[in-house]
Amino acid sequence: MNQETNLYRNSSKTVKLLAMSGGICVILLLTFLYCIGLFDGELKVKPAVFSGAALLVMLILLLSSLLSLRDKSAQIVLNKNHFSEKQPHWQRHLG
C-alpha cells in the first residue's frame, strides 16, 4: 500500500500576501521619492538609502514570488518512503 499525500499552495492567501507586499513597495517608493527631495526639494540621504535598499529587496522578493505563482504542482509530497518539498533550505530556516 503506497499512500501519497500532496500539499498544494493556498492561492487566495498567496494573492493576499502579494497584494500586501505590493502595497509596502508603493509606500517605500513614496518614501524614497520624498527622501530624494522630489516633493520639498530637500535631500535626506540616510532615509533615502534605507528606503531604496528596502524597496529593492521587496521588489526582488515580489517578482520572484510572482514568477513562482504559476507553478501548480504540489509544494510538499509525503510518501511512506520519502519526503520531498519545493522549498529552498534557507526558507525552511526562516520559518
Side-chain angles (χ1 to χ4, degrees):
M1 188 172 196
N2 192 6
Q3 185 178 3
E4 185 174 274
T5 303
N6 296 325
L7 300 175
Y8 295 93
R9 178 186 317 223
N10 188 343
S11 61
S12 64
K13 286 184 181 179
T14 304
V15 169
K16 283 183 186 178
L17 181 65
L18 291 176
M20 287 174 47
S21 297
I24 291 171
C25 286
V26 168
I27 291 171
L28 284 172
L29 178 67
L30 291 174
T31 304
F32 179 72
L33 292 175
Y34 174 75
C35 290
I36 62 171
L38 188 67
F39 301 122
D40 62 353
E42 183 179 334
L43 177 65
K44 299 162 190 72
V45 176
K46 287 183 183 179
V49 169
F50 172 75
S51 62
L55 176 64
L56 189 63
V57 169
M58 286 293 293
L59 284 176
I60 290 171
L61 292 174
L62 183 66
L63 289 177
S64 67
S65 297
L66 284 174
L67 290 175
S68 69
L69 192 60
R70 286 193 244 160
D71 186 17
K72 300 292 182 192
S73 62
Q75 298 294 309
I76 298 175
V77 177
L78 299 170
N79 197 341
K80 182 179 179 181
N81 299 325
H82 71 286
F83 167 78
S84 64
E85 62 182 329
K86 289 188 134 188
Q87 187 176 14
H89 296 291
W90 62 270
Q91 282 183 342
R92 193 176 326 136
H93 294 296
L94 291 177

